[in-house]
């Protein structure tokens, strides 16, 4: 009697959630310090002190107005402040009108996909990919096409991509720095991608939008370049969240940027706003609109992630794991030590290591480590990873 | 190239928004003090001081954890606290598991409608109704049936309702205290409604859900009873928001309550959660989950609304306006002084009165006054209402 598709979405526990629940039970048995939970992407570093200071100041100084409705796309001053930050960093001239503040990156994607999608439209994802993309695309009745992983570097298999683009392709979603691989797309990768997309746009006579989902943009290591995608491909729509850069995942604050250069930019922006309205998004949370705008040039202490990344990557490689070099985010995506990544994840539990199988990300034969955890937990976990590897000798 | 339906939703300015923009322009010409804007339902009283105090305390005491993801239905302790408050007030035994915290009442409705709706499902609305209901229902491909107003008391025209219910009726939405009429459904009205729904459930052999949208529940005047709907009709799903009771409309915090007594309660709850997931709702904003839970027994100073209501109702009646007696919320919905409410609203502009035509609420021949404004503005506006009435002599 209810929507069976929604019932299934609401009851199907994700593998990640299963692991998390298992970890809680197991912790009750053997002690939390003996369970090594690498399943969740919850930032382990707190928000910068300025975030809470700003929130407290606004609650005091604007007590009577800070909780009012804002306009649907967000407070104009907050949007301009975020635009100014992008302009300083990337040499652009964005204005408030090109930004639409949202209840986080998931909402950003749902608004954009809802606004763009007409019956029959297809979207292309590159494995490994964040599994909720499929939920969001299918939620607006779009069709998903997945390009298999390029397993040496987790860049893009362009010949598979070229074959997958059709006249029905409405958009392509990229996510760099990537969840789950931690890889950053190189400028070369993005330029090749853009060249193919431009040729396909010309061939089919309609725009193909590149949806750049960038919640990890600020988390990039040892100076690796994270190119500003709109400067490489004109028809780029940026979906952002402050969840990771400011360690505010629970507050739900992000944006959609539809640069004026985008084909039919005004329609795309308005349709995304219409989709937000249809989905019940009235405005992004009003206090944190202003907090994020005032703090958008800051980041949480992401040096912790860089340290964790180096520690794990070096140690795992020494033990014989194959790890593609990550450039950012807070994930590693090594090969599992047997082809069946579900069986591998099960075996890892025997060592109280909670590792997410790669199949859910469209990349069987791998597993994800979310290393947004305390460094000392990683140090204590290394012997477990070693024992797990030894068990395959 | 974009979704035409979403483009239309994103570009079609609502009449309310048109009026609001007109008011801003007009204020620039004649001074803000000379424009009497009764168009917007933005609470005019600030949040209780405890709300900001609680937020500041949580930001200080839980600086490292308050911004983390919560579970998708919301922090269990916050949900239990809200359940406890309902239990104290209504003698129920709700638990955290029956509550799903949302990004406001609009999101609550979108989650419930998305979860319930199967192809061909119909929903019944009673005019006058909040216009976004239609957007939300059609957004999940449901069909809307509107019952014309019962213009003497804005209760329910039951014979029209009985004829409208079919085997395709999935649900009925009520909103009491009502936007735009300010009317509270009497116990008698709700009992008759429930009796009809029970008979129709028996006739068709499936549940018909009563979706009770209650953002104004706490704003009821001179002791008028706002019955607790789940005690009158078993298959009631409550959609709530703290926007009005705590004057927090911009923060987006509400809930869905699916009491265990509801037919297929577990499936309804899970499907609503699945719809939320599909629409990109990850969790309700984490700080304000806790703030609302700690402050859920408080209200903003709603005595202002009661004073405004009495002032306006008495004065307008004396001038010859027909005003159905309201019981709460912060709206009046008098008859327009000519049958064409759009023409009436236009004429009111000549007196710098911004009044929303009733047609958008499914009740032509009426107009809405949102009196969540300063009392002194109402006092200064009364001569304008008088002059407007005189112009029809």
């Amino acid at each position: 009697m209810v929507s069976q598709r929604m019932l299934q979405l609401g009851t199907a526990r994700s593998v990640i959630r299963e692991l998390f629940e298992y970890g809680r039970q197991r912790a009750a048995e053997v002690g939390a310090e003996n369970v090594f939970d690498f399943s969740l992407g919850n930032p382990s570093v707190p928000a910068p002190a300025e975030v809470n200071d700003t929130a407290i100041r606004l609650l005091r100084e604007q007590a009577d107005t800070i909780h009012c409705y804002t306009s649907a796309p967000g407070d104009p001053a907050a949007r301009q402040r975020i635009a100014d930050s992008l302009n300083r960093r990337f040499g652009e001239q964005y204005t408030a009108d090109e930004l639409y503040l949202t209840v986080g990156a998931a909402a950003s994607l749902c608004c954009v996909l809802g606004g763009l999608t007409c019956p029959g439209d297809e979207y292309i994802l590159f494995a490994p990919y964040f599994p909720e993309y499929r939920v969001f695309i299918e939620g607006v009745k779009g069709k998903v096409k997945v390009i298999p992983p390029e397993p040496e570097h987790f860049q893009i298999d362009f010949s598979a991509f070229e074959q997958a683009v059709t006249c029905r392709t409405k958009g392509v979603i990229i996510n760099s720095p990537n969840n789950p691989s931690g890889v950053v797309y190189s400028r070369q990768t993005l330029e090749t991608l853009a060249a193919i997309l431009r040729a396909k746009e010309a061939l089919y006579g309609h725009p193909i939008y590149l949806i750049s989902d960038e919640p990890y943009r600020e988390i990039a290591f040892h100076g690796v370049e994270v190119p500003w995608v709109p400067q490489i491909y004109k028809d780029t729509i940026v979906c952002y969240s402050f969840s990771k850069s400011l360690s505010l995942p629970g507050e739900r604050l992000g944006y959609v940027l539809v640069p004026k250069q985008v084909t039919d930019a005004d329609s795309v922006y308005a349709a995304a706003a219409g989709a937000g309205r249809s989905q019940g998004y009235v405005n992004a949370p009003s206090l944190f609109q202003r907090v994020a705008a005032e703090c958008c040039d800051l980041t949480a202490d992401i040096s912790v992630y860089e340290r964790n990344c180096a520690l794990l990557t070096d140690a795992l490689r020494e033990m014989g794991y194959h790890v593609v070099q990550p450039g950012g985010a807070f994930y590693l995506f090594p090969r599992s030590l047997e082809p069946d990544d579900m069986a591998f994840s099960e075996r890892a539990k025997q060592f109280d290591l909670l590792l997410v199988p790669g199949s859910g990300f469209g990349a069987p034969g791998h597993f994800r480590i979310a290393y947004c955890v305390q460094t000392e937990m990683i140090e204590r976990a290394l012997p477990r990873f070693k024992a797990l590897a030894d068990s395959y000798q």
Side-chain angles (χ1 to χ4, degrees), chain A residues 19 41 58 72 89 101 114 117 163 192 204 215 297 364 391:
Chain A
L19 273 175
L58 291 171
R89 294 171 61 195
L101 303 189
T117 306
Q163 286 170 39
T192 307
Y204 297 122
D297 287 326
S391 80

Side-chain angles (χ1 to χ4, degrees), chain A residues 209-381:
Chain A
Y209 295 105
L210 183 57
I211 301 168
S212 184
D213 178 35
E214 309 188 349
Y216 302 98
R217 189 202 301 140
E218 275 62 60
I219 307 179
F221 305 147
H222 34 79
V224 67
E225 182 193 18
V226 182
W228 182 239
V229 186
Q231 288 168 349
I232 298 176
Y233 183 65
K234 182 175 83 80
D235 284 336
T236 298
I237 300 166
V238 175
C239 293
Y240 188 76
S241 166
F242 295 95
S243 293
K244 319 299 184 190
S245 61
L246 291 178
S247 286
L248 290 173
E251 302 300 352
R252 316 310 304 142
L253 213 288
Y255 62 74
V256 176
L257 171 72
V258 184
K260 283 203 181 68
Q261 66 184 17
V262 164
T263 305
D264 299 327
D266 291 349
S267 295
V268 169
Y269 185 98
R277 179 179 167 194
S278 169
Q279 293 166 8
Y281 288 109
V282 174
N283 59 241
S286 52
L287 171 62
F288 278 90
Q289 284 188 32
R290 278 64 168 229
V291 172
E294 291 205 20
C295 298
C296 68
D297 287 326
L298 304 173
T299 63
D301 178 16
I302 57 176
S303 68
V304 177
Y305 302 134
E306 186 158 3
R307 195 159 61 242
N308 288 355
C309 180
L311 175 65
L312 258 174
T313 306
D314 291 352
L316 290 177
R317 283 177 172 164
E318 193 147 314
M319 295 171 198
Y321 292 85
H322 180 282
V323 186
V324 171
Q325 184 64 38
F330 39 56
Y331 307 103
L332 283 190
F333 202 60
R335 287 188 199 159
S336 52
L337 297 177
E338 58 184 304
D340 181 346
D341 51 290
M342 306 293 281
F344 176 79
S345 173
E346 273 304 308
R347 191 191 292 206
K349 281 187 191 168
Q350 296 170 17
F351 301 88
D352 286 317
L353 290 171
L354 307 190
L355 309 173
V356 183
S359 298
F361 304 98
H366 295 82
F367 65 99
R368 188 185 80 168
I369 300 174
Y371 57 75
C372 42
V373 297
Q374 300 303 314
T375 305
E376 65 78 34
M377 178 182 123
I378 295 176
E379 285 162 349
R380 288 188 298 108

Side-chain angles (χ1 to χ4, degrees), chain A residues 36-47:
Chain A
F36 302 90
D37 186 349
F38 293 99
S39 66
L40 285 186
N42 221 344
S44 56
V45 285

